[in-house]
Structure formats: structure tokens, C-alpha cells
Amino acid sequence: MFSRKSGRRPVGGPRTGPENQPAKSPKTTPGAPGVSTDGSDGGYNAGIAVFSYIVGGIIVWSLIGWGLDNLWGTRWIVLAGALLGAAGGFYLSHMHGLTSNRISAGDGNAARGPSQDEEQ
């Protein structure tokens, strides 16, 4: 840095300031359950997480529907609860990024969508 009085750099002493500090590594936050940070086994773990979200949603909402069926004397709310639980589990797994399309090894033509044929 330049000295204010003479406009020259000071000769001695350690340099301090943010430009002379070592760079800090960025903070990493944990992602969705089942997604590994290094990508080694993320596909398997993401599949297990999607499965548990959907099955867990079906079980929880079916039990809620079963309780409401017993309370109100109906028979259809348990089925509606199971469907709601499955849809909610898929929605949660999608919002956590577990159902995203990933480009596989190779040229990745399948991930691009339908082919664009040339006019003849």
C-alpha cells in the first residue's frame, strides 16, 4: 500500500490487509438427503431417498386417512391419503433435486430431447 504522506510504499514491516490474507475455501452446505458431495454413489443414495420419501408419505398419509375413516365412518379417505402421500413424496424428492435428469457418460444424445430432422 502507498503511504499517505509521501505517496510511496513503506519499506519495512509486514503487509496486512485483506489482499494479503490467504484465500478461504467456500463454505459447503449439506445438500438433499442421499446426494453425495463427491458424486461417487449419489445415484444409488438418491434412489433410496426418493423411495423412502414416497413410501414414508404413503404410510403417514394412509394412517391419517385410516384415522379419519374410523372417526367419520367412511372407507375412501385411506385411499385418498395414500395417493396424497405418494404425490407428496414425489414432490419432496423433486424439490430436493433427487429426480433431476443427469447426463450420462458418452455423447448424451438422449438428454437433449427429440431429434431435429433436416428438411429434404
Side-chain angles (χ1 to χ4, degrees), residues 23 36 51-52 62:
S36 64
F51 179 76
S52 33
S62 294

Side-chain angles (χ1 to χ4, degrees), residues 33-56:
V35 177
S36 64
T37 56
D38 61 354
S40 61
D41 57 355
Y44 178 76
N45 287 340
I48 294 296
V50 169
F51 179 76
S52 33
Y53 276 143
I54 293 173
V55 169

Side-chain angles (χ1 to χ4, degrees), residues 23-76:
K24 294 181 181 178
S25 63
K27 293 172 93 175
T28 57
T29 58
V35 177
S36 64
T37 56
D38 61 354
S40 61
D41 57 355
Y44 178 76
N45 287 340
I48 294 296
V50 169
F51 179 76
S52 33
Y53 276 143
I54 293 173
V55 169
I58 290 172
I59 290 171
V60 167
W61 285 102
S62 294
L63 287 174
I64 291 172
W66 177 75
L68 291 175
D69 275 340
N70 284 336
L71 183 66
W72 293 336
T74 59
R75 295 185 310 183
W76 59 271

Side-chain angles (χ1 to χ4, degrees), residues 53-54 56-58 61 81-95:
Y53 276 143
I54 293 173
I58 290 172
W61 285 102
L83 293 174
L84 181 69
F90 184 77
Y91 175 76
L92 280 177
S93 62
H94 180 71
M95 292 307 290

